[in-house]
Amino acid sequence: MRKPTIQDVARQAGVGVGTVSRVLNNHTAVKGLTRETVLRAIAELDYTPNPHARRIAGGKSYTISVLLPVLTTEFYARLLDGLETAFQEARYDVAIFPLLDRSRLERYLGSHTLAYQADGLVMATYNLTQMFHERRLRTQQPTVLVDAYADNVDCSFMDNVVGGQLAGEYAATFSGALYAVWVETELDQLFTTRVFEDRRAGFTQAVQDAGRCVQAEYTSSFDTLAARNTAAALLDAAQADPAGLPCTVFASADLLAGALLDEVRVRSLTPGQDVRIIGFDDQPWAASRGLTTLHQPVESMGYEAAQLLLSRLGGFKGPARARRFEPRLIIRDTA
Amino acid sequence: MRKPTIQDVARQAGVGVGTVSRVLNNHTAVKGLTRETVLRAIAELDYTPNPHARRIAGGKSYTISVLLPVLTTEFYARLLDGLETAFQEARYDVAIFPLLDRSRLERYLGSHTLAYQADGLVMATYNLTQMFHERRLRTQQPTVLVDAYADNVDCSFMDNVVGGQLAGEYAATFSGALYAVWVETELDQLFTTRVFEDRRAGFTQAVQDAGRCVQAEYTSSFDTLAARNTAAALLDAAQADPAGLPCTVFASADLLAGALLDEVRVRSLTPGQDVRIIGFDDQPWAASRGLTTLHQPVESMGYEAAQLLLSRLGGFKGPARARRFEPRLIIRDTA
DNA sequence: TTGTATGCGTTATCAA
DNA sequence: TTGATAACGCATACAA
């Protein structure tokens, strides 16, 4: 059976197509009663507007392309949630371009689909911007950065420096040795982010300000095996040092904190007592494991990024804006 | 400046719009000369057809939705490559729906976008099909499975049983003990696949057929730390056993093989001599590390899946077809 | 083999 | 506030 069109709805409601269209788009106040009638007709016919027709008539694609690396899925799932919620509210489609690797990025940039496919671009990785600039791809479309910061571009970012500071301030309240585990900066420049550097900077600053110093710092790649080995090395050192325990460890990502928690347990040490642990990210398992960590308002960051872009699409011409979000310390059992 | 339309091209080429359209779609032989003229005009104007107009005029979306889990990115990047190549040739767009988690699946199924957005569906995970059936979502659209098999649905799949057999046959040619490491079946039912069970079945069969038996089997989750621990346990056992070395190990995924290779090196054993290793997947690093492994024609599998779907879209009405692809043993240094 | 005309389902413009 | 109607850019049936 044929899909109902706006014509069918208009007929059913006994109004003109224009009116239906206006209801659909929340246009200039359609009179309450008429609006009701139209909405009822829409419901009765189970009508869904044809997006393609809308696109050609409107001369826009009503689509936003989101370029995002596929890495720590949890984070990006939440980010997408925020983005999609906002865009759906504005009747925009979201086309996701998962950057599985560099060759796929090339593919997207090469394909002309971006030209027609998108009214705007969301880029969820810092270096992508650089790439766009380098390659003179100063994309025609309005662009917004999420979870990244750059001048002259709208962006919605997480203040990882503050996150690190919160961790540092809290860690400094505990007596005993202070340790920190950092994430090795990735080699792949495409997906490089500054988040870990930022967390480190904030933490170091806060610890210094508190007149404390870090006993030892460790670095691990973002990988369970490496994290576990690093945890073991850290605990070896702490246990060997007469003044090493109790100690407080800032693990700059929950993945690292989890590995440390495992290793602490294996050694029959008590988390939160012998070894206090502060993570970062508030992964889904963090609550059940009692991990003290920093929670990031990722959805809000995504939602706001979308709003920034939508305002550009709505004609906003002002200078680039930056929206800052702050992680929040969640105190649980481990510290 | 306005984007050129098909009208502009027709004017520039001195032909009718119909002719331009025909050239665009490789329709009924347009005379060679006319074709040339049109193509030149297209090039001169740097014309790109407006996909939205095409969609509404054609009454189709010319878009294929691809639902795929985001797991072993390497594999899916290659799979997408095969799919996109085929669909691009047929002037179909590909909309990717990365299933980061279950809630996102719900989102896709719930949103009406699939209805208009796709003429066909590619599903890259076995259980998705089940879900579609269970939820009576017997999708209106023609559907094809990739890297999965089911009755009554077109599918293009990798024969992991044969892959396991090849590994088993080759392993059986070596004297000494035989070991195997399997991947723990994932708990998340959504993304469950049968690939590891299949590899195991094939391997076991081949080893039995060769009159050999497996000394010991190990299971590991798909994770570097777990893999490394498993490798250590295996080598502990082998080294403790007077007849344990030299031995041959089938690691049913390169991730496991890599961890084993690391552990072998750490113990100053010689891969390919003390411990022969056969992996599975042929990851990008496999060649440089000399890993003997099974290579899967993933791109071809994707390409063929696309062809199956395209033939349905072209009106093919026959019964469900299944295209089978076989892994190929790549012998390098480790075995 | 090619050109012309019509239709696709919206949005936007202009009257009413 | 609403209805009628002209775009939007392409595919396709039909005519030439």
Side-chain angles (χ1 to χ4, degrees):
Chain A
M1 206 185 64
R2 211 178 98 270
K3 281 208 175 77
T5 75
I6 201 173
Q7 310 273 0
D8 300 322
V9 176
R11 201 175 314 121
Q12 171 99 0
V15 302
V17 290
T19 303
V20 179
S21 176
R22 272 171 289 237
V23 171
L24 247 29
N25 296 288
N26 296 321
H27 260 336
T28 50
V30 180
K31 204 170 62 185
L33 187 63
T34 320
R35 163 181 233 84
E36 295 301 323
T37 321
V38 171
L39 288 175
R40 194 167 336 108
I42 288 178
E44 283 167 11
L45 296 176
D46 191 23
Y47 163 76
T48 312
N50 181 327
H52 309 306
R54 180 160 178 260
R55 290 192 245 266
I56 132 143
K60 291 185 270 183
S61 74
Y62 297 102
T63 300
I64 304 297
S65 294
V66 177
L67 301 186
L68 79 167
V70 179
L71 295 181
T72 65
T73 60
E74 221 286 307
F75 180 88
Y76 287 106
R78 290 178 56 201
L79 182 59
L80 272 175
D81 240 49
L83 289 167
E84 287 183 337
T85 300
F87 285 128
Q88 274 180 16
E89 286 170 7
R91 290 192 71 199
Y92 272 81
D93 267 3
V94 174
I96 300 175
F97 293 88
L99 266 19
L100 297 172
D101 56 27
R102 191 175 263 101
S103 77
R104 293 198 62 75
L105 174 60
E106 301 293 336
R107 183 160 212 150
Y108 297 140
L109 299 183
S111 84
H112 282 220
T113 121
L114 277 183
Y116 274 109
Q117 183 101 314
D119 295 332
L121 228 52
V122 175
M123 301 199 293
T125 306
Y126 177 68
N127 281 37
L128 278 182
T129 338
Q130 287 192 315
M131 287 212 52
F132 269 72
H133 283 190
E134 283 167 12
R135 308 185 43 160
R136 294 220 222 89
L137 271 168
R138 300 170 176 288
T139 143
Q140 315 294 351
Q141 301 116 354
T143 300
V144 59
L145 290 187
V146 212
D147 190 42
Y149 178 88
D151 291 325
N152 306 320
V153 190
D154 284 338
C155 47
S156 175
F157 68 103
M158 194 62 60
D159 194 332
N160 280 282
V161 175
V162 164
Q165 276 170 0
L166 291 171
E169 285 164 12
Y170 186 59
T173 65
F174 294 106
S175 59
L178 251 47
Y179 293 90
V181 189
W182 310 114
V183 174
E184 193 177 342
T185 306
E186 289 121 56
L187 294 175
D188 190 329
Q189 287 301 318
L190 174 56
F191 297 136
T192 294
T193 67
R194 294 186 317 198
V195 311
F196 298 115
E197 300 168 34
D198 287 351
R199 291 175 188 179
R200 179 174 192 162
F203 179 81
T204 306
Q205 181 67 50
V207 167
Q208 273 183 8
D209 289 354
R212 301 286 300 277
C213 69
V214 177
Q215 180 89 3
E217 305 186 61
Y218 294 81
T219 302
S220 164
S221 63
F222 199 79
D223 168 279
T224 53
L225 173 57
R228 185 63 176 269
N229 286 337
T230 304
L234 189 155
L235 292 179
D236 282 348
Q239 290 184 303
D241 182 344
L245 292 181
C247 67
T248 305
V249 184
F250 173 44
S252 55
D254 279 357
L255 178 87
L256 307 179
L260 180 56
L261 206 45
D262 288 337
E263 189 66 24
V264 164
R265 291 251 159 74
V266 163
R267 296 180 184 220
S268 302
L269 297 172
T270 306
Q273 202 160 322
D274 302 316
V275 181
R276 303 182 199 94
I277 305 175
I278 304 170
F280 206 119
D281 285 340
D282 197 22
Q283 296 270 21
W285 50 264
S288 63
R289 299 195 67 183
L291 180 65
T292 291
T293 189
L294 283 135
H295 181 87
Q296 307 177 67
V298 183
E299 290 88 349
S300 304
M301 179 176 69
Y303 190 90
E304 185 59 27
Q307 296 301 346
L308 288 174
L309 190 50
L310 287 169
S311 82
R312 289 287 172 194
L313 297 179
F316 177 76
K317 295 293 182 197
R321 297 153 297 173
R323 296 281 184 270
R324 205 173 58 82
F325 291 82
E326 294 192 355
R328 192 175 80 241
L329 181 66
I330 310 277
I331 298 177
R332 298 202 180 95
D333 311 332
T334 61
Chain B
M1 207 185 63
R2 210 180 97 271
K3 281 207 176 77
T5 75
I6 201 172
Q7 310 274 358
D8 300 323
V9 175
R11 201 175 314 120
Q12 171 98 359
V15 301
V17 290
T19 304
V20 178
S21 177
R22 269 164 283 211
V23 172
L24 247 29
N25 296 290
N26 297 321
H27 259 339
T28 51
V30 179
K31 205 169 64 184
L33 186 63
T34 318
R35 164 180 233 86
E36 295 301 322
T37 320
V38 171
L39 289 175
R40 194 165 338 109
I42 289 178
E44 283 168 11
L45 296 176
D46 192 21
Y47 163 75
T48 312
N50 181 326
H52 309 306
R54 183 162 174 260
R55 289 191 247 265
I56 129 144
K60 290 186 272 185
S61 74
Y62 298 102
T63 300
I64 304 297
S65 292
V66 177
L67 302 186
L68 79 168
V70 179
L71 295 181
T72 65
T73 60
E74 221 284 307
F75 180 88
Y76 287 106
R78 291 178 56 201
L79 182 59
L80 272 175
D81 240 50
L83 288 166
E84 287 183 336
T85 301
F87 285 129
Q88 274 180 15
E89 288 170 6
R91 292 193 68 200
Y92 271 81
D93 268 4
V94 174
I96 299 175
F97 293 89
L99 266 20
L100 297 171
D101 56 27
R102 191 175 264 100
S103 76
R104 294 196 61 75
L105 174 60
E106 301 293 337
R107 184 159 212 151
Y108 297 141
L109 299 184
S111 83
H112 282 219
T113 120
L114 277 183
Y116 274 110
Q117 184 104 311
D119 295 332
L121 229 53
V122 175
M123 301 199 293
T125 307
Y126 178 68
N127 281 35
L128 278 182
T129 337
Q130 286 192 316
M131 288 213 50
F132 269 72
H133 284 191
E134 283 167 14
R135 307 184 45 158
R136 295 219 222 89
L137 270 167
R138 303 171 173 287
T139 145
Q140 314 296 351
Q141 300 117 352
T143 301
V144 58
L145 290 186
V146 212
D147 192 41
Y149 179 89
D151 291 325
N152 307 320
V153 190
D154 285 337
C155 48
S156 174
F157 68 102
M158 194 63 61
D159 193 330
N160 280 282
V161 176
V162 163
Q165 276 171 1
L166 291 171
E169 286 164 12
Y170 186 59
T173 64
F174 295 105
S175 58
L178 251 45
Y179 294 90
V181 188
W182 310 114
V183 174
E184 194 177 340
T185 306
E186 289 121 57
L187 293 177
D188 190 330
Q189 286 302 318
L190 175 56
F191 296 137
T192 295
T193 67
R194 295 186 318 199
V195 313
F196 298 115
E197 301 167 35
D198 287 351
R199 291 176 188 177
R200 179 174 192 162
F203 180 80
T204 306
Q205 182 66 48
V207 167
Q208 273 183 9
D209 289 354
R212 302 285 300 276
C213 70
V214 177
Q215 181 87 7
E217 304 184 61
Y218 294 83
T219 302
S220 163
S221 63
F222 199 78
D223 167 281
T224 53
L225 173 58
R228 185 62 176 270
N229 287 337
T230 304
L234 189 155
L235 292 179
D236 283 348
Q239 290 183 305
D241 182 345
L245 292 181
C247 68
T248 305
V249 184
F250 173 44
S252 55
D254 279 358
L255 178 87
L256 307 180
L260 180 57
L261 206 44
D262 289 337
E263 189 66 24
V264 163
R265 290 251 160 75
V266 163
R267 297 181 181 219
S268 301
L269 296 172
T270 307
Q273 201 159 320
D274 302 317
V275 182
R276 301 183 201 96
I277 305 173
I278 304 171
F280 206 120
D281 286 338
D282 198 21
Q283 296 270 20
W285 50 264
S288 64
R289 299 196 66 183
L291 180 66
T292 291
T293 189
L294 283 136
H295 181 87
Q296 306 178 67
V298 182
E299 290 89 348
S300 303
M301 179 175 70
Y303 190 91
E304 185 61 24
Q307 296 301 343
L308 288 174
L309 189 50
L310 288 169
S311 83
R312 290 285 172 196
L313 297 178
F316 177 75
K317 294 293 182 199
R321 298 153 295 174
R323 297 278 185 271
R324 204 173 59 81
F325 291 82
E326 296 192 354
R328 193 174 79 242
L329 181 67
I330 310 277
I331 297 176
R332 298 202 179 96
D333 310 333
T334 61

